[in-house]
């Protein structure tokens, strides 16, 4: 009985150790810093989580298939810049397209997501049909997208947006920011895709064993292309959201966000070995990451030391995930 209890405690620490440490840190910060648990701070945390959740849910599909996506950060910047060039006020002195009326925000969003999805489909094509490893394919697309975005915008910061666009960040429905509502809707749609559709079953089958899935009749190549196209569309949406929140965009928008998203997914329970992960895993991981960063800021930890702490968390999370994979084998 004693050994069983020890094993149970060990399993709990392996599966939830990072989250438990995070909860303890949040409680300690809440006690020592009176403004940490204020409604204003919690609202800011949720708003910062909103677009990070969209990014993490996009990248989660890639990770579940045993892949990754290093192009996410640059794709976010590309989406934010495309939206910015289409949604500037007509009277703005630095308008990118001087004589063009600003588009309807929903039309602009559709254009952003379709363009990003097209590039994501190209990445998926190289991974699926030419068998280029996801790490190499997405790294190549990361460089391509950055170059295209720099040429498109001439690496010039964008601003002067119409109020309909910036209202996405400032407006509220039922007292909740539109950004948070977008994240909720995306999470609900992603949950439905993951759990209630044939595409979701194919995704998990590919991550579990690609060869076995192919033998079982799963359209592996087509599914991979769709997964990477869908992920890129979500990065475009995240860039659209971030542009609205910042009131501007540049080619550096979203830089390195893919690393945070991959780490958040892993912390939450999306396995880097493939075949396992839920929508809730990505959301929990993002919450842990965002709370950790905010807690460290309130505790007076310097930004440079915060990078060290976040890196250590990533090391621990990946190591525990690999340990769980080996144990299952």
């Amino acid at each position: 009985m004693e050994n069983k209890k020890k094993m149970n405690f060990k399993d709990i620490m392996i599966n939830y150790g990072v989250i438990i440490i995070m909860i303890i840190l949040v409680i300690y910060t809440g006690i020592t810093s009176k403004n940490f648990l204020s409604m204003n701070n919690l609202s800011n945390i949720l708003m910062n989580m909103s677009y990070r959740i969209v990014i993490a849910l996009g990248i989660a599909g890639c990770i579940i298939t045993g892949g990754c996506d290093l192009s996410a950060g640059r794709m976010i910047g590309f989406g934010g810049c495309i939206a910015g060039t289409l949604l500037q006020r007509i009277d703005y002195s630095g308008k990118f397209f001087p004589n063009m009326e600003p588009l309807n925000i929903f039309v602009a969003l559709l254009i952003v997501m379709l363009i990003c999805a097209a590039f994501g489909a190209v990445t998926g094509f190289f991974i699926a049909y030419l068998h280029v490893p996801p790490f190499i394919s997405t790294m190549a697309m990361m460089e391509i997208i950055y170059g295209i975005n720099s040429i498109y915008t001439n690496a010039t910061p964008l601003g002067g947006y119409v109020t309909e666009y910036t209202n996405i960040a400032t407006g509220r429905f039922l007292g909740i920011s539109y950004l948070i509502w977008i994240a909720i809707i995306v999470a609900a749609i992603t949950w439905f895709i993951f759990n209630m559709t044939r595409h979701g079953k194919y995704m998990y089958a590919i991550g579990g064993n690609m060869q076995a899935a192919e033998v079982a009749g799963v359209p592996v190549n087509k599914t991979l292309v769709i997964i990477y196209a869908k992920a890129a569309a979500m990065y475009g949406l995240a860039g659209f959201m971030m542009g609205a929140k910042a009131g501007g965009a540049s080619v550096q928008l979203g830089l390195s966000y893919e690393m945070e998203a991959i780490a958040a997914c892993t912390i939450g329970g999306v396995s880097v070995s493939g075949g396992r992960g839920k929508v809730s895993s990505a959301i929990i991981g993002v919450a842990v990451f965002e709370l950790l960063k905010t807690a460290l800021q309130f505790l007076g930890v310097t930004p440079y030391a915060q990078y060290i702490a976040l890196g250590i968390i990533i090391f621990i999370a990946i190591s525990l995930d690999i340990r769980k994979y080996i144990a299952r084998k």
Side-chain angles (χ1 to χ4, degrees):
M1 180 67 76
E2 188 178 344
N3 288 336
K4 189 175 180 181
K5 285 183 179 177
K6 285 183 180 178
M7 275 301 294
N8 285 339
F9 176 76
K10 182 180 176 182
D11 291 342
I12 289 170
M13 291 309 296
I14 289 174
N15 287 294
Y16 307 108
V18 175
I19 296 174
I20 291 169
I21 292 169
M22 183 65 252
I23 292 171
I24 294 170
L25 180 62
V26 167
I27 292 171
Y28 174 77
T29 309
I31 293 171
T32 57
S33 305
K34 63 178 181 179
N35 292 326
F36 179 72
L37 295 177
S38 68
M39 286 304 297
N40 184 50
N41 187 51
L42 293 176
S43 177
N44 287 335
I45 291 173
L46 286 173
M47 286 183 68
N48 288 334
M49 282 177 57
S50 62
Y51 45 83
R52 286 182 166 87
I53 286 172
V54 173
I55 300 164
L57 290 174
I59 220 162
C62 304
I63 297 173
I64 288 170
T65 60
C68 66
D69 196 344
L70 301 181
S71 69
R74 293 304 188 186
M75 201 75 75
I76 293 163
F78 190 38
C81 286
I82 294 171
T85 59
L86 301 177
L87 294 169
Q88 290 177 312
R89 300 191 310 271
I90 193 69
D91 61 345
Y92 181 59
S93 59
K95 189 168 171 58
F96 189 80
F97 295 118
N99 300 316
M100 189 186 81
E101 290 282 344
L103 297 184
N104 176 279
I105 58 171
F106 296 106
V107 173
L109 174 58
L110 181 62
I111 291 171
V112 166
M113 294 182 71
L114 287 175
I115 291 174
C116 289
F119 281 101
V122 172
T123 303
F125 174 83
F126 275 89
I127 293 168
Y129 290 94
L130 302 182
H131 307 293
V132 180
F135 177 84
I136 302 299
S137 296
T138 58
M139 183 171 63
M141 185 56 72
M142 173 182 73
E143 299 295 343
I144 291 168
I145 288 294
Y146 178 61
I148 291 173
N149 197 18
S150 298
I151 292 170
Y152 175 61
T153 63
N154 198 27
T156 303
L158 301 164
Y161 296 158
V162 294
T163 54
E164 290 84 358
Y165 182 30
T166 53
N167 280 348
I168 293 172
T170 58
R172 292 178 177 272
F173 177 67
L174 299 178
I176 300 173
S177 168
Y178 290 146
L179 292 177
I180 298 172
W181 279 115
I182 292 171
I184 292 170
I185 292 168
V186 170
I189 293 172
T190 306
W191 179 90
F192 181 82
I193 293 171
F194 280 18
N195 296 281
M196 307 299 290
T197 67
R198 188 174 294 175
H199 173 79
K201 291 174 183 172
Y202 290 164
M203 179 183 70
Y204 285 105
I206 292 169
N209 189 318
M210 186 179 294
Q211 287 73 28
E214 200 160 15
V215 170
V218 173
V220 172
N221 293 343
K222 179 182 174 183
T223 302
L224 285 172
V225 171
I226 292 172
I227 285 169
Y228 280 88
K230 173 167 59 69
M234 293 169 76
Y235 308 148
L237 170 58
F240 184 89
M241 295 166 69
M242 290 175 67
K245 186 173 184 290
S250 73
V251 293
Q252 300 303 329
L253 183 72
L255 180 63
S256 298
Y257 273 52
E258 69 279 0
M259 298 304 177
E260 281 193 20
I262 292 170
C265 287
T266 307
I267 290 169
V270 181
S271 177
V272 292
S273 57
R276 291 191 305 115
K278 303 176 183 176
V279 168
S280 58
S281 303
I283 296 172
I284 290 169
V286 171
V288 168
F289 226 68
E290 200 57 35
L291 284 167
L292 173 62
K293 289 191 293 184
T294 308
L296 291 175
Q297 289 170 7
F298 270 82
L299 293 174
V301 177
T302 65
Y304 304 115
Q306 289 177 33
Y307 284 114
I308 297 172
L310 295 174
I312 291 171
I313 292 293
I314 294 169
F315 262 130
I316 294 171
I318 298 293
S319 300
L320 291 176
D321 180 69
I322 292 172
R323 182 186 174 94
K324 285 185 282 186
Y325 173 73
I326 293 172
R328 289 200 310 274
K329 294 280 280 189

